[in-house]
Structure formats: C-alpha cells, structure tokens
Amino acid sequence: SVTELGAGAFILCENLTNVTLPNTISSIPYGTFAGCVSLKKIDIPSSVKTIEKEAFSMTGFTEFIVPDSVTTIGYQVFSDCENLVKVTIPKSVTTIGKAIFEGCSEDVTIYGEKGSYAEKYANKNDISFKAISSGQEDPSDILTGKTIAKLNVRKGPGTKYAKMGTLSKGAKVEVITKLPSGWYKIKYKGTYGYVLGKYVKLNTPQQDEKVIATGKTTAQLNVRKGSSTKYAKIGSLSKGAKVEIVSKLSNGWYKIKYNGTYGYVSGAYVKLDSEQPKPGEDEKIIATGKTTVSSLNVRSGPSSNYSKLGILTKGTKVEVVERYSNGWYKIKYKGSYGYVSGAYVSLDGSKGEVIATGKTTAGLNVRSGAGTGYKKIGHLNKGTKVEIVTKLSNGWYKIKFNSSYGYVSGDYVKLI
C-alpha cells in the first residue's frame, strides 16, 4: 500500500542486497538507495516514471536495466558506482540529468535503441554506447548457439511476459544480450524476443585461441563461465597453478585455457610471468608520451576496477613499459609501476608507420579503442581500403582514419 518513498529512505544501508518495490509508487526519490554498497538487485515496477538524482549513488550494481516505463533519470543517479559497466536505457526515457556516471568506471556503457535520446546523451557526453535494437548491433557482439530443448520465446525476460512463439530443439539462435537474470535477448522473426539462457548452448570457438600471456594464481581461485562473479562456477585452481591467458578483458578478468576449453578468472588473483622485472633488472621502456587530460588516475592494475595509486596532471610525461589489449598502459611510477588508460596518453612520435593494408569485408564501425566497449568515431563501407599501423593481440587493428587513428575488428578486414 506504500505510495511514496522519502528522500534517502535507505541511505547507507550497507548490507541491503535485494529490493522489490510495489507498483503503487511513481518515483524513486533523491538518494533513496545512496551508499547501499551491497545492493545488486532491484525489481522496479512499471508504475515508476522518474528516478531522481543520486537515487542509486554508490551502490554495488555491475549492470542496471531501466524499465520501459521510466521517462526521467536525474542528476548523478549512478555516481560513484565503481563496479557498474552496463546500463540499459529504454527509448521511453526523454530526460537524463548531468553526470549520471560521475566517479564510475571508464568502461561503463549505455545500451539502448539506435536514434534514442539515450544515444544522443551518450554521444554528447563521450560515453560508450551500444545499440541493442533496430538491427544496428555490431556483428562482433552477437553470440550464436542452439536450443537444447523446445523453448518458449517471450516479450520480456521472464515467464510473466506474453509468449511470442516457440523454438524447436536444435533451433539456431542469435543472442544480442545476456541479462543478469539468466535470460537472453535474441533476434526473432525480424524483431526481438527473450529466452531462458539455460536452454541454449552457445557455440564455442572453432579454432584454438592464441595464448597471449602466462601466469600463476596467488590464491585458490574460482573458474567461471563468464567474466564476473555472477556467472556459474565451472571449477577452481589451487594457489600457484599455472594459467594460460588468451584474452585480457577491460574489467580486469582473464579468459584462460581450462580443461580443454575456456574459462574466466579474476586477474586480481593472477601474477603474470612478465608482470615484474627480475631482481636488479628494470623493465624496458617501449614508448613515451604525455597525458592529455587534467587528471588521470594511476591504478594498481590494467583497468578502472583496480585501486587508485595516484593522479597525473595534464602534460605529465609517462614512460610506457607494456601495452595491453584493452587499451591500458603499464608505466613507470614513483620508483615502481602503475597502470593508466592509453586513451588519455598521447605517445611521442606516434606517426604510425603502415605495416599492412587491407579491405573491409562488411560495413565496419571505427572506434576510439580496441574493443566494442569504446566509443564509435566513424564507419567504413564494405570494400574500403584500410592502412594498418598496429595489430593488437585481441584481433583488433589500429588504423589510419581521418588524419588521425582509430580501431577496427580484424575479423572484418581482409589483408591485401
């Protein structure tokens, strides 16, 4: 029977983990859940139209789905949510306040419909955006698989939503988004539908992935199906176990070889073999440059999920000893080493000699970094010639683009 929540109703309830709101309220007021650092799940009813400023500031969400009923998102709604990387905003939202991700990870991405207000907001505020409808998905984001049983397709991610149709056992599915609830958003009959993910077997890579680094675990470590603790555990590694890494992800997790296939572990508990120099031996400087922003965080590992060691002011000289596939640099810092985002470092003498040329095999997005999580800065038509200056270990290419540089997926470039 509750019809209204007061401002800051649950502020600093640090042990609150799960909330279900009644369908008798129309807004989530100012600071309602601010400081609820353990809050990772909330059921917001369709009666809610407004999420007011700082409502979810300093909460524990990694992903957040704004319901289709909401029209207004307030100022700094998700500020200081350090683990937040994905927010889905529907086309119903027509007002978004300033700095909604103030103090959040640099990897945070808005998911929404092409042409929506959410996309305009993302572009205006230099926030990564991914289209999840209107047929605009980046082909490298789509997963494929087959159903392992007869499966209902629904209008939303849950059995309470209306059934749109049925897939027979063994039917091919194209997965657009894997939701935290375990449901998948899929392409279905020219539009989109939702299926329960446990009845879909996703395709595994058809070829062995190249090992890009090796290391050892620093503690007993869970191996999971995906790159966060929300994914199912598929095994564990004892302390000191050797790991072979095939991909370093932007959230600090590693994709590794495991029992003849692949798994994911937190990089916080893996010491890379190349991570520290041998006693008395300094790491070789591979590049130098200067910071391009007023303040750049230096962290203890190669992503914004790691703790902050300090700050570099604009124009500070940096000495780079290693580059990572997620765009981060390992640098010399205060007699030791630290990590910074390469997006905010201009390398000296980076004239970018062309090492190869090729042509695009499909329409291809050009991005500001080496991954689909980076901002789109342009587009190349099929058959466009590209000049490649760097081939990255994750399969992406750094190319010459519009008198500067950009990044494209190498899967859609044929070398010539």
Side-chain angles (χ1 to χ4, degrees), residues 260-280:
T261 180
Y262 300 96
Y264 296 82
V265 295
S266 171
Y269 303 101
V270 177
K271 182 179 180 181
L272 300 180
D273 293 336
S274 62
E275 200 162 52
Q276 295 295 338
K278 295 177 181 179

Side-chain angles (χ1 to χ4, degrees), residues 378-390:
H379 185 81
L380 299 175
N381 294 325
K382 181 179 179 180
T384 302
K385 182 179 178 181
V386 293
E387 293 181 311
I388 300 162
V389 298
T390 307

Side-chain angles (χ1 to χ4, degrees), residues 286-338:
I286 61 171
T288 59
K290 290 183 179 180
T291 58
T292 60
V293 289
S294 58
S295 62
L296 179 60
N297 290 332
V298 183
R299 298 191 178 267
S300 59
S303 87
S304 56
N305 290 329
Y306 288 90
S307 59
K308 191 165 75 171
L309 299 176
I311 293 176
L312 298 177
T313 56
K314 185 175 183 179
T316 301
K317 181 179 178 180
V318 294
E319 295 177 311
V320 181
V321 298
E322 188 173 357
R323 300 186 200 186
Y324 293 88
S325 59
N326 65 347
W328 280 64
Y329 296 160
K330 183 177 181 180
I331 66 168
K332 289 192 171 188
Y333 183 69
K334 292 186 176 179
S336 184
Y337 299 94

Side-chain angles (χ1 to χ4, degrees), residues 147-165:
T147 58
I148 59 174
K150 187 176 181 181
L151 186 58
N152 289 331
V153 182
R154 297 188 179 272
K155 288 187 175 181
T159 54
K160 65 183 179 182
Y161 290 92
K163 190 169 85 169
M164 299 172 63

Side-chain angles (χ1 to χ4, degrees), residues 366 377-380 399-406:
V366 183
I377 60 174
H379 185 81
L380 299 175
I399 66 168
K400 289 191 172 186
F401 183 71
N402 286 353
S403 301
S404 184
Y405 300 95

